[in-house]
Amino acid sequence: RTLLEYADVPGSAGARLEPSLADLPELREQGTLYAFRLRREARFGPPLRRHVTAADFKYGFERMLRLGSPGVTFYRRVVGVPDVLAGRVKQVSGVIARGDSLYIRLSRPDPVFLYLLSLSFTAPVPLDIPWHDPPFHKN
């Protein structure tokens, strides 16, 4: 699951985004900062069975970049992504995790960005899962 999901209804109403693991975000700073509040019932399934945190979303997002996922091109407007992809830094400065609050800062407004956040590329990955560089790791 991701922060948001498409409504489970037929027709054009099915293109509407709804809360999934987070409430609909507050848009700030002229449309460049998305402020999400994770839902209380957002939990990982077995074997972890724990609450999903904003840090799990940040970890999953940065892992996607390190793996060179095909989804990387969708998120180049997130502040710091170009620096991570170039190998200058390891963490995305535009993804900020504070407890159950997740902030995502863009370099400029993007009218489809919320829809991109519903793609599985942005699903949380538990911090409990250690990072191991895959054999094809580019850094």
Side-chain angles (χ1 to χ4, degrees):
R1 295 180 50 204
T2 56
L3 294 164
L4 306 172
E5 62 187 22
Y6 285 95
D8 188 17
V9 294
S12 61
R16 185 182 70 244
L17 290 175
E18 295 182 335
S20 181
L21 296 177
D23 293 327
L24 292 174
E26 180 183 332
L27 204 51
R28 301 176 184 171
E29 299 178 8
Q30 292 81 44
T32 60
L33 181 66
Y34 291 78
F36 289 93
R37 182 80 177 148
L38 297 185
R39 301 178 91 183
R40 203 174 314 182
E41 63 272 15
R43 301 189 67 75
F44 287 112
L48 296 179
R49 298 181 191 269
R50 72 163 174 79
H51 179 64
V52 176
T53 67
D56 295 314
F57 276 99
K58 181 174 176 67
Y59 180 68
F61 189 85
E62 291 172 345
R63 181 178 180 272
M64 170 196 58
L65 299 175
R66 284 189 223 121
L67 287 171
S69 162
V72 166
T73 58
F74 296 129
Y75 307 101
R76 290 186 183 270
R77 286 191 183 157
V78 174
V79 171
V81 165
D83 292 327
V84 170
L85 294 176
R88 291 188 287 269
V89 297
K90 296 221 182 256
Q91 292 191 357
V92 178
S93 59
V95 178
I96 302 120
R98 294 187 182 131
D100 284 342
S101 296
L102 179 70
Y103 304 90
I104 302 174
R105 179 170 278 120
L106 303 181
S107 57
R108 64 180 192 249
D110 183 345
V112 300
F113 188 68
L114 278 182
Y115 295 93
L116 297 175
L117 290 177
S118 70
L119 299 174
S120 60
F121 301 117
T122 62
V125 175
L127 284 168
D128 312 79
I129 307 293
W131 170 257
H132 297 288
D133 288 341
F136 54 87
H137 185 68
K138 296 180 183 181
N139 285 351

